[in-house]
Amino acid sequence: MSFADHIRACNSFDRARVVPLLAGDRRIGWLRHDNAAALARFPKVFAGARDCVRLVAKGDVAAVSNAVDEVVEALVGENLVPKWRNETFDVAPRWGDPPIFRLDRGAVPFFGTRAYGVHLNGYRRDGDRLMLWIGRRAPDKRVAPNKLDNIVAGGIGNGHGIYATLVKEADEEGGIPPALVECARPAGAVSYCMATELGVRDDVLFVYDLEVPPDFTPRNSDGEIVEFDLMPAADVLDRVRRTDDFKFNVNLVILDFALRHGLIPVDDPEYTEVSTGLHRPLE
Amino acid sequence: MSFADHIRACNSFDRARVVPLLAGDRRIGWLRHDNAAALARFPKVFAGARDCVRLVAKGDVAAVSNAVDEVVEALVGENLVPKWRNETFDVAPRWGDPPIFRLDRGAVPFFGTRAYGVHLNGYRRDGDRLMLWIGRRAPDKRVAPNKLDNIVAGGIGNGHGIYATLVKEADEEGGIPPALVECARPAGAVSYCMATELGVRDDVLFVYDLEVPPDFTPRNSDGEIVEFDLMPAADVLDRVRRTDDFKFNVNLVILDFALRHGLIPVDDPEYTEVSTGLHRPLE
């Protein structure tokens, strides 16, 4: 196990195994060949070609979303897609573009549409040491149960902004009051593209840092995190290097935090690879 | 002009216009087709093939360096390479690998070998504002004369380490004493790959931040910087967005600084592109 192993695991995407999903002349997703073949069976919604799949459903966002959702329901019936039924993500060529349709979160990897999340590093200073609040994910989470996580993290649901998602998740996941969240500082984004069992995770995680006061203790209220620990950042980093204890993408968020806060010395043999491995350019 | 324009300018590399330069089975550079053809005329040192050029000179680092240098001298004679004659860079597949040969800095883009530099953001706080020390490059600089620059920046010459280069350049370029440089914090690296007139710049810039005291004023002693200005970081960022006043790669270093210090709001329309555009993964 090494820092680079985590980066490679999150960047296992292989262009040769996918075709683009197009809306007009713009790519909105990556489809594994088997997933592309599955969509081609719904020609009123998707037109399959040799080297791409085209969205052909017409209408406004609601109409296209409904058409796609009928396909998703059929795929759920065939156990090709695990539908979540409580959260949809906007699908668009780029962040900030008007959405073309909304997609059940469980179906996002199948379509390989880009997903966006917010991760918060909650830290405090203990003399010269930086300490990080680390959560443990509930055993019933669909993704990465029991793994260690940031103090707050969540996907950006349709119609929600980055900061609004931070405020909502900070409240539900960590019991962080809005007045304290206001002190959080945006610090860029971590991005990666990963082949998964279901398809492709093409993810952008907007990262915030928040220095929390010594008398603050996070408290979860949505059941997604079962416990929080305050750990020396150096120990967190060592655990990232040696183990798989953290959720796959949280390793990258912690490496980004560590780099930005000068916690990885330049003579670390992985310094160059970490410095250039956490922000995959968007295609 | 936009933030993204600077990122695109530094990532103009086009894989279709180059072939790899190989040492054994490892790539050590990118050769534009015309440069590859030029090297193939020296078959005792380089063997040209259809889709690559191989280093065939044998011996230790000194022997291979001498053999390559004879080729460089011939190319200088044909005005294909502008030799600097005062600085050589190590050539290796990856940072930290033992060097295969040393190459005159002026010839580096011709061979498309990866080059490494150190950039220092010198900042101070003025109440709530961050201020940045910005230098202006001398009019006789070979690269980017008269352009604005970081307080300290320099290439990593052969055999030199990252921190040693920072200390040396901080002294020569900014008159920053070693005791103050010790307070500099490593903050990762900016990377890009750029097609230039001479070939390919495949660059990794190790970035440090240094909070300088209010009574410190940088003073240049090597003639490379003609003046320093203390500017509000917000104004620097605005100038990066609107103009070409800064050296091409300094725009990226400043964008990285601005992101890490929370100076770019998440609702900036270029936030996602900047967040994912400053750290090109190494090939």
Side-chain angles (χ1 to χ4, degrees):
Chain A
M1 192 58 51
S2 69
F3 292 155
D5 286 336
H6 295 300
I7 294 171
R8 276 191 289 270
C10 287
N11 286 281
S12 54
F13 171 74
D14 179 358
R15 178 65 183 82
R17 294 185 60 199
V18 300
V19 296
L21 171 62
L22 303 176
D25 59 354
R26 302 188 71 186
R27 188 185 65 78
I28 54 172
W30 290 119
L31 292 166
R32 209 168 53 198
H33 291 132
D34 54 336
N35 294 350
L39 288 189
R41 293 184 286 122
F42 303 90
K44 287 184 184 165
V45 187
F46 296 103
R50 197 181 54 80
D51 56 358
C52 68
V53 171
R54 287 182 188 282
L55 175 71
V56 292
K58 301 290 178 206
D60 60 10
V61 172
V64 176
S65 299
N66 286 337
V68 172
D69 199 52
E70 286 182 24
V71 174
V72 170
E73 284 294 350
L75 297 171
V76 169
E78 300 174 39
N79 287 316
L80 291 174
V81 171
K83 204 174 179 191
W84 290 28
R85 302 186 190 283
N86 59 353
E87 198 171 355
T88 56
F89 281 8
D90 281 330
V91 174
R94 309 290 279 187
W95 177 256
D97 288 347
I100 295 171
F101 60 93
R102 294 183 294 274
L103 183 62
D104 184 277
R105 183 170 179 175
V108 166
F110 183 94
F111 289 83
T113 54
R114 187 164 291 146
Y116 301 87
V118 175
H119 281 240
L120 177 68
N121 297 294
Y123 70 98
R124 73 182 213 205
R125 293 175 205 281
D126 177 14
D128 276 353
R129 289 197 307 181
L130 274 186
M131 309 287 288
L132 274 169
W133 277 106
I134 297 295
R136 180 176 293 279
R137 298 164 67 83
D140 59 354
K141 291 281 280 184
R142 271 171 277 220
V143 176
N146 297 307
K147 293 285 187 181
L148 299 179
D149 205 336
N150 292 111
I151 188 172
V152 167
I156 301 183
N158 75 277
H160 289 85
I162 301 169
Y163 187 68
T165 300
L166 174 67
V167 171
K168 172 178 163 287
E169 295 287 343
D171 173 44
E172 295 173 3
E173 282 210 346
I176 306 176
L180 180 52
V181 178
E182 274 180 30
C183 303
R185 204 165 69 170
V190 161
S191 51
Y192 56 88
C193 200
M194 187 179 189
T196 75
E197 210 176 328
L198 300 167
V200 174
R201 281 188 75 125
D202 184 5
D203 286 354
V204 175
L205 309 180
F206 296 107
V207 174
Y208 285 84
D209 287 355
L210 174 63
E211 184 166 359
V212 297
D215 60 357
F216 172 79
T217 300
R219 292 194 199 293
N220 181 266
S221 63
D222 64 4
E224 299 196 359
I225 296 288
V226 289
E227 60 179 359
F228 287 103
D229 259 324
L230 184 66
M231 299 167 59
D235 294 357
V236 171
L237 194 60
D238 183 57
R239 202 153 161 184
V240 165
R241 171 117 66 183
R242 289 185 303 101
T243 77
D244 254 330
D245 292 347
F246 287 86
K247 186 188 167 200
F248 55 96
N249 54 13
V250 173
N251 290 296
L252 273 53
V253 175
I254 288 170
L255 285 170
D256 172 67
F257 177 87
L259 267 184
R260 290 186 291 102
H261 288 265
L263 302 179
I264 306 182
V266 296
D267 56 2
D268 188 292
E270 298 194 83
Y271 193 80
T272 307
E273 199 152 0
V274 173
S275 296
T276 59
L278 305 174
H279 313 274
R280 185 183 180 104
L282 304 185
E283 287 183 65
Chain B
M1 193 57 54
S2 69
F3 293 155
D5 285 338
H6 296 300
I7 294 171
R8 276 190 289 268
C10 287
N11 286 281
S12 54
F13 171 74
D14 179 356
R15 177 66 183 82
R17 295 185 60 199
V18 299
V19 296
L21 171 62
L22 302 176
D25 57 356
R26 303 189 71 184
R27 187 185 67 77
I28 54 172
W30 290 119
L31 292 165
R32 210 168 52 199
H33 292 134
D34 54 336
N35 294 349
L39 288 190
R41 294 184 287 121
F42 303 91
K44 286 184 186 164
V45 186
F46 296 103
R50 197 182 54 80
D51 56 357
C52 69
V53 171
R54 287 183 186 283
L55 174 74
V56 292
K58 300 289 178 208
D60 60 11
V61 173
V64 176
S65 299
N66 285 338
V68 172
D69 198 53
E70 285 182 25
V71 174
V72 169
E73 285 293 350
L75 297 170
V76 169
E78 300 174 39
N79 288 316
L80 291 176
V81 171
K83 204 175 181 190
W84 288 30
R85 301 185 192 282
N86 61 353
E87 198 171 353
T88 55
F89 280 7
D90 281 330
V91 174
R94 310 289 279 185
W95 177 257
D97 287 347
I100 295 171
F101 60 93
R102 293 182 295 272
L103 183 61
D104 185 276
R105 184 172 178 172
V108 166
F110 183 94
F111 289 83
T113 53
R114 185 164 291 146
Y116 301 87
V118 176
H119 281 241
L120 177 67
N121 296 293
Y123 71 98
R124 74 183 212 206
R125 294 174 204 281
D126 177 15
D128 276 353
R129 291 199 304 184
L130 274 185
M131 310 288 287
L132 273 170
W133 278 106
I134 297 294
R136 181 175 292 280
R137 296 164 67 83
D140 59 354
K141 290 282 280 185
R142 272 171 275 221
V143 176
N146 297 307
K147 294 285 186 181
L148 300 179
D149 205 336
N150 292 110
I151 189 172
V152 167
I156 301 182
N158 76 277
H160 290 85
I162 302 170
Y163 186 69
T165 301
L166 174 67
V167 171
K168 171 177 164 288
E169 296 288 341
D171 172 44
E172 294 173 5
E173 282 209 347
I176 306 176
L180 182 51
V181 178
E182 273 179 32
C183 303
R185 204 166 68 169
V190 161
S191 51
Y192 55 89
C193 199
M194 188 179 190
T196 75
E197 211 176 328
L198 300 167
V200 174
R201 280 187 75 124
D202 184 4
D203 286 354
V204 174
L205 310 179
F206 297 105
V207 175
Y208 285 83
D209 287 355
L210 173 63
E211 184 166 0
V212 298
D215 60 357
F216 172 80
T217 300
R219 294 195 197 292
N220 180 268
S221 62
D222 63 4
E224 300 196 359
I225 297 289
V226 289
E227 60 179 358
F228 287 103
D229 259 325
L230 184 66
M231 298 168 60
D235 294 357
V236 170
L237 195 59
D238 183 58
R239 201 153 164 183
V240 165
R241 171 115 69 181
R242 290 185 303 100
T243 78
D244 254 330
D245 292 347
F246 288 85
K247 186 187 168 201
F248 55 96
N249 55 12
V250 174
N251 290 295
L252 273 51
V253 175
I254 288 170
L255 285 171
D256 172 67
F257 177 86
L259 267 184
R260 291 186 289 102
H261 288 265
L263 302 178
I264 307 182
V266 294
D267 56 1
D268 188 293
E270 298 193 85
Y271 193 80
T272 307
E273 200 153 357
V274 173
S275 297
T276 58
L278 305 175
H279 312 274
R280 185 185 181 102
L282 305 185
E283 288 182 67

